[in-house]
Amino acid sequence: MDQLRTQMWFGATLFRSGLASADALERFLQPELVRPCADGVMRSSKFFRYKKGSRVPSRIAGKASPVELAEKAFPGTAIYFYSVIWDLCKGRRITIEEADVLLWAMSDEVRHVLFVSTSYVYRNPPRVLSRQFRYFDDKVSKALAQLGTFEALTAVVVLMAKAEAIPPSIGLRQAAQLCYLRMQKNLLKNPEIAPVIEEVFALIDEFFLEWVGIHDQHQVALPMESRLRREWDLR
């Protein structure tokens, strides 16, 4: 999983930087690692290993990590590495209250889809959000899916985790899973994440099971099948 999140962070950072290679990104973010020698240039090859996922960015006391350096240069890239998706897919369980805090901490783009807003004519901005959730109906599901961003994916995974909290919500589970499946075609079009997003789908599918009813008294949990369902027209 660390390999995958490193590759996703690196790919998104490189795309947003507009630079051509891991070497160019390393020169930009950590030029001190590129040291000229008598017979040429010696590089650390650290960023090349990030590209392959064979090395994970880490913090050194007193120094900014590569993820922090990239976030400062290209705001919005740190989410790819620090997203709660990775912890949730490792088995972290969250309470309903924790899920709500995570969702409220997201960007306004996501919050305006999930939370109730009130219009005030004399305020700037005119839309003021409350901490009351909108009912997660088909309209909200489609709006969240349409965003097609990694943060929107994070939000729907948090919603699936919230549905498994105590007390569990079958209705929210089904609605969030439909939103997740519906969202995939938009995520595949996002050039920041397209190279590795299918591997992320496989990770999420494996952890967040879909409950299939056998009869009124019993259900069987099976992994979701995103690869097959991605082609469905979920309008």
Side-chain angles (χ1 to χ4, degrees):
M1 192 178 302
D2 282 342
Q3 177 182 6
L4 180 57
R5 72 170 182 160
T6 300
Q7 288 178 304
M8 170 156 277
W9 163 77
F10 173 85
T13 301
L14 184 66
F15 179 87
R16 199 169 295 192
S17 73
L19 298 170
S21 65
D23 178 59
L25 187 59
E26 184 172 48
R27 284 172 174 267
F28 183 85
L29 292 177
Q30 293 189 283
E32 70 278 6
L33 299 180
V34 183
R35 298 184 294 273
C37 300
D39 58 348
V41 178
M42 181 173 67
R43 302 181 180 89
S44 72
S45 74
K46 184 166 71 171
F47 278 69
F48 180 77
R49 282 179 280 173
Y50 293 155
K51 178 182 178 180
K52 298 295 184 182
S54 59
R55 176 169 179 162
V56 179
S58 59
R59 288 189 176 94
I60 298 176
K63 293 184 178 181
S65 73
V67 176
E68 292 164 344
L69 292 171
E71 178 66 18
K72 184 176 180 179
F74 313 112
T77 53
I79 186 177
Y80 293 102
F81 191 78
Y82 292 128
S83 171
V84 71
I85 280 180
W86 312 120
D87 285 341
L88 293 175
C89 288
K90 283 181 178 178
R92 175 185 169 188
R93 298 290 182 179
I94 56 175
T95 64
I96 292 174
E97 292 75 16
E98 288 171 332
D100 291 348
V101 169
L102 289 169
L103 293 167
W104 181 254
M106 293 188 177
S107 70
D108 283 347
E109 181 181 53
V110 171
R111 293 199 302 164
H112 276 104
V113 173
L114 296 177
F115 292 89
V116 173
S117 62
T118 306
S119 296
Y120 290 90
V121 177
Y122 301 108
R123 291 201 181 181
N124 186 26
R127 297 182 70 193
V128 178
L129 290 173
S130 73
R131 298 193 73 151
Q132 178 184 348
F133 280 96
R134 298 179 187 273
Y135 178 68
F136 201 75
D137 58 12
D138 202 54
K139 181 179 179 180
V140 174
S141 171
K142 287 181 178 179
L144 185 60
Q146 190 62 36
L147 294 180
T149 63
F150 187 68
E151 186 182 37
L153 176 62
T154 300
V156 80
V157 170
V158 171
L159 287 169
M160 289 194 288
K162 179 180 178 179
E164 301 295 335
I166 304 298
S169 170
I170 295 175
L172 179 58
R173 178 198 295 145
Q174 293 174 339
Q177 287 177 343
L178 176 59
C179 180
Y180 163 64
L181 294 170
R182 175 181 274 151
M183 180 184 293
Q184 291 178 6
K185 61 183 179 182
N186 297 317
L187 291 166
L188 285 165
K189 297 175 185 176
N190 185 333
E192 282 193 356
I193 59 179
V196 294
I197 193 61
E198 290 192 61
E199 294 180 59
V200 179
F201 293 158
L203 182 69
I204 295 169
D205 290 354
E206 183 178 354
F207 188 78
F208 287 95
L209 304 176
E210 182 173 31
W211 293 92
V212 179
I214 303 301
H215 54 73
D216 291 342
Q217 301 300 321
H218 295 88
Q219 289 183 321
V220 176
L222 300 172
M224 288 183 286
E225 297 179 355
S226 291
R227 291 186 182 86
L228 298 177
R229 300 187 182 201
R230 194 171 304 129
E231 301 301 324
W232 287 14
D233 184 14
L234 295 169
R235 294 188 179 96

